[in-house]
């Protein structure tokens, strides 16, 4: 909250405590819905109960529509309200937001609120609530403006005026035929710049992009981003328009998807906001323990070379240097491949792979040479330096290759490559690096017998 | 490109080769600007030269405005056009997009195009081009609708109709006083639902959120996301409205910022699209070599314990297990802290830190116990198992702590915490883990003398 808003909060709370309905309404209603929702969340129970008498359900609906809070919180507020007030509030809210709140409730509570609604509104909610999460159906709202293609601009304008208060966004007006099938789109700009007698069918754009109710949210977000839409219509299997998805919900999807990618790269759910350290720990542990087993394989591998290590104990000095650097190179290559695959659906995969292979060779050779010099000078032993350098170059090359091959392979078998995580690549690269390092050391030491 | 669009491409190219201007125009102009821009990018030079004669500059401006391509490409297309055609095209485009193209040109080329423009347009571009990258000024466009507060709804509607063709978005109409100072906002919805005689000043919202021309894009994106705006006005130091930023540009900012965070976590610029493996390698190498030096410090640390290693060579077996697992835990903790700091500007930092400390203890203890059992059973040596287990628990605790302390510290000194990278944390944790491991081993082995 900004400082200005914090001051307003103090003022509003004073007004609530003084029971000054009129002055509270004046100040509160001068704010934007999002600000109202932030302030509302700061009020305590007794203050909120007063708010339910100060504001009409219509006014509070605006607050609930614009909140960025967890829908579960909104559900708790509903329980505090007089049932009739809650019912009216839900009726006034946009259907997509009502669905978000009710979807997170227990079945019994949900049924209670559905029964409070008018049959028509309850049905709208019931129709939307069963759509699978992360699909168009779960994101869309049913408050949109659709007009018949046979209207004139003047008649259409009348309908838009009537529908304007209800609709979530009026930038686009969708055009349907007599059966409700989506046949065109026009902007409110088109309406106001054309004369009243013109026919809608002649001024509309008949190439209208729509998404299916079952389409995945990530795909929809990509379309809205590329086409610079403010809203996109949703159609059912018979091409009838059933809802719209507005750009504000698309932004939330983009945020959610990018947080997911980030989480996958780190091997942890960064969106989880629980404050209980036990819960947090037990969410992070499965992945860590899985990788621990992989690490144990690496340990048995080193164990296999214990004879060599006992003979040339200096080899142990460079284990973490080699595994660490190769892991870093692998993580870089993984991240590049994942993003490249996500951004560009008609990417030439062989090109990406060849490019990564060449990059791996160059990075490996340069780093290997550095290490050869550093170790050679430090230990006065160019053979040891050579072993570490060649092992480093090979380990980097393999980690780099794995970093791109794994996401590419996942894409090929239809798994989202973003699931591949940095910790997985670096743990895998520990294993390959150790194998490479000791194999090379064994081979060279046999040749040079120190 | 979708299959449908690929078919259209074939058709369009045939029409170009047959020189059928009329049919080309009909098909091409039926498409959305973004689709047009995708197709245009597929044409070769001779086809493009034909397009410049088939389409008017006004029509091609639409294509250029809706492209998601690199502005550098657009600059190349301009060079192919007859100068007068290019000038007209630039005049018709939205100023923010013209600025993007000209900003990426060499000074000489930029001056050439500025001279081609009408003085008025060239000045608009000159005014915008000097704004620093990633600020409101560099994102805004000057095509917006502003009306005087003394107008009536009817008069305002006339002005909106006149300005509608030029403006990038007409969802919001900004209201100014006689000096151009922003005093209110209303939506086109308000205009069409109020009667013509009403005064603008009485129906507008006088609480209008605006951003300063120099404000950072990440902050602006956060506001637009939270408030669900479709556009946000930009004001100069004297509160005069100088431009607007539209939601499509905000989406690009959100994409850019999240790609940056992802890149930082991986320690590589994933947005770099060069296809030259040498260039790619030399962009990734600086970070790898820096971390290599840190890895060398870890190597000298292990070297310091070489006597111990020579005596108990089995210790080497578990180096990579401990460094790897601690590194993974550190990466998780880093990612959580970075996201938490980014998402929530009034976060209680001590709470985050205490939570991470507790989580680190739990994860450390559980993982340590697992390792104690695994190593103890495998090596039939519960003391060795205990050493590795305790070292593991301590190394995880330290890595976890570093993973949250480093971004918190960066936030405190005013550096963007997102810059902290996973490879850095895991390389740092290699160092601390090795130190912890060998210190614990030395201490215990002295006690138990094998």
């Amino acid at each position: 909250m900004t400082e200005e808003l914090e001051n307003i909060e103090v003022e509003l709370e004073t007004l609530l405590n003084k029971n000054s309905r009129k002055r509270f309404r004046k100040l509160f209603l001068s704010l934007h819905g999002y600000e109202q929702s932030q302030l509302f969340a700061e009020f305590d129970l007794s203050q909120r109960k007063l708010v339910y008498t100060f504001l009409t359900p219509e006014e509070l609906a605006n607050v609930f529509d614009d909140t960025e809070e967890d829908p579960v919180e909104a559900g708790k507020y509903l329980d505090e309200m007089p049932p009739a007030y809650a019912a009216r509030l839900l009726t006034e809210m946009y259907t997509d937001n009502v669905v978000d709140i009710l979807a997170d409730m227990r079945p019994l509570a949900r049924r209670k609120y559905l029964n409070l609604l008018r049959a028509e509104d309850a049905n709208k909610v019931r129709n939307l609530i069963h759509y699978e999460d992360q699909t168009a159906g779960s994101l869309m709202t049913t408050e949109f403006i659709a007009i018949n293609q046979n209207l004139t601009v003047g008649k259409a304008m009348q309908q838009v005026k009537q529908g304007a208060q209800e609709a979530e966004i009026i930038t686009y007006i969708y055009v349907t035929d007599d059966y409700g099938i989506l046949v065109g789109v026009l902007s409110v700009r088109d309406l106001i710049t054309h004369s009243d007698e013109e026919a809608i069918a002649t001024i509309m754009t008949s190439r209208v992009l729509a998404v299916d109710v079952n389409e995945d949210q990530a795909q929809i977000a990509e379309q809205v981003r590329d086409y610079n839409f403010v809203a996109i219509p949703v159609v059912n299997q018979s091409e009838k328009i059933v809802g719209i998805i507005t750009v504000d919900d698309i932004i939330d999807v983009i945020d959610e998807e990018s947080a997911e990618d980030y989480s996958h790269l780190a091997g942890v759910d960064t969106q989880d906001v629980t404050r209980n350290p036990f819960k947090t720990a037990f969410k992070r542990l499965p992945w860590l323990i899985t990788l621990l087993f992989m690490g144990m394989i690496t340990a048995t591998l080193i164990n296999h070379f214990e004879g060599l290590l006992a003979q040339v104990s200096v080899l142990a000095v460079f284990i973490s240097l080699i595994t660490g650097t190769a892991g870093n190179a692998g993580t870089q290559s993984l991240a590049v491949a994942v993003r490249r695959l996500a951004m560009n659906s008609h990417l030439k995969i062989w090109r990406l792979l060849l490019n990564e292979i060449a990059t791996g060779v160059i990075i490996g050779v340069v780093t290997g040479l550095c290490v050869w010099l550093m170790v050679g000078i430090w230990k006065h032993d160019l053979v040891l330096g050579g072993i570490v350098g060649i092992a480093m170059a090979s380990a980097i090359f393999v980690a780099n290759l794995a970093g791109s091959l794994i996401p590419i392979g996942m894409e090929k078998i239809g798994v989202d490559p973003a699931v591949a995580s940095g910790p997985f690549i670096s743990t895998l690269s520990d294993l390959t690096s150790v194998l490479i390092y000791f194999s090379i050391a064994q081979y060279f030491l046999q040749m040079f017998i120190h």
Side-chain angles (χ1 to χ4, degrees), chain A residues 432-449:
Chain A
T432 55
S433 302
V434 159
L435 183 64
I436 291 167
Y437 177 37
F438 285 103
S439 306
I440 289 176
Q442 194 160 46
Y443 177 79
F444 272 84
L445 292 174
Q446 272 164 359
M447 274 175 56
F448 289 91
I449 318 150

Side-chain angles (χ1 to χ4, degrees), chain A residues 98 139 151 161 180 190 202 217 238 311 431:
Chain A
V98 175
L139 288 173
L151 295 180
K161 278 185 191 176
D190 296 327
T202 59
Q217 64 174 14
S238 34
Q311 233 183 312
L431 200 156

Side-chain angles (χ1 to χ4, degrees), chain A residues 350-386:
Chain A
W350 288 110
R351 222 202 144 95
L352 171 66
L353 197 59
L354 281 177
N355 203 57
E356 262 323 302
I357 289 175
T359 306
V361 169
I362 300 165
I363 289 180
V365 168
V366 173
T367 314
L369 282 174
C370 286
V371 168
W372 175 53
L373 279 175
M374 283 157 83
V375 174
I377 293 168
W378 175 30
K379 289 286 178 185
H380 305 291
D381 185 343
L382 285 178
V383 174
L384 179 66

Side-chain angles (χ1 to χ4, degrees), chain A residues 211-230:
Chain A
V211 295
D212 185 86
V213 272
N214 296 311
E215 189 153 338
D216 179 68
Q217 64 174 14
Q219 247 87 50
I220 303 167
E222 219 176 290
Q223 281 191 335
V224 172
R225 185 194 62 201
D226 288 342
Y227 284 85
N228 293 346
F229 287 140
V230 174

Side-chain angles (χ1 to χ4, degrees), chain A residues 103-122:
Chain A
D104 279 352
M105 284 184 177
R106 286 164 198 278
L108 209 70
R110 189 189 307 157
R111 210 172 311 150
K112 179 184 131 195
Y113 286 107
L114 283 173
N115 287 336
L116 280 174
L117 291 176
R118 281 180 310 173
E120 186 197 345
D121 292 324

Side-chain angles (χ1 to χ4, degrees), chain A residues 181-230:
Chain A
I181 290 174
L182 183 65
V183 294
V185 63
L186 44 88
S187 64
V188 70
R189 186 199 305 243
D190 296 327
L191 273 193
I192 63 176
T193 53
H194 280 88
S195 54
D196 281 2
E197 314 76 48
E198 283 183 78
I200 289 297
T202 59
I203 67 164
M204 73 183 189
T205 307
S206 46
R207 190 178 161 80
V208 47
L209 227 90
V211 295
D212 185 86
V213 272
N214 296 311
E215 189 153 338
D216 179 68
Q217 64 174 14
Q219 247 87 50
I220 303 167
E222 219 176 290
Q223 281 191 335
V224 172
R225 185 194 62 201
D226 288 342
Y227 284 85
N228 293 346
F229 287 140
V230 174

Side-chain angles (χ1 to χ4, degrees), chain A residues 97-160:
Chain A
N97 298 328
V98 175
V99 169
D100 286 344
I101 297 174
L102 296 195
D104 279 352
M105 284 184 177
R106 286 164 198 278
L108 209 70
R110 189 189 307 157
R111 210 172 311 150
K112 179 184 131 195
Y113 286 107
L114 283 173
N115 287 336
L116 280 174
L117 291 176
R118 281 180 310 173
E120 186 197 345
D121 292 324
N123 278 336
K124 266 192 202 164
V125 173
R126 277 200 200 92
N127 282 338
L128 288 183
I129 217 162
H130 69 85
Y131 285 112
E132 226 174 308
D133 201 27
Q134 309 209 326
T135 64
S138 74
L139 288 173
M140 72 186 184
T141 185
T142 50
E143 286 88 359
F144 59 90
I145 298 183
I147 57 172
N148 190 290
Q149 60 179 344
N150 299 321
L151 295 180
T152 59
V153 168
K155 290 270 176 210
M157 196 60 170
Q158 277 177 20
Q159 284 203 9
V160 170

Side-chain angles (χ1 to χ4, degrees), chain A residues 405-421:
Chain A
L405 266 184
I406 288 173
I408 288 175
M410 290 168 78
E411 171 98 355
K412 283 274 168 213
I413 59 167
V415 179
D416 180 7
V419 172
S421 85

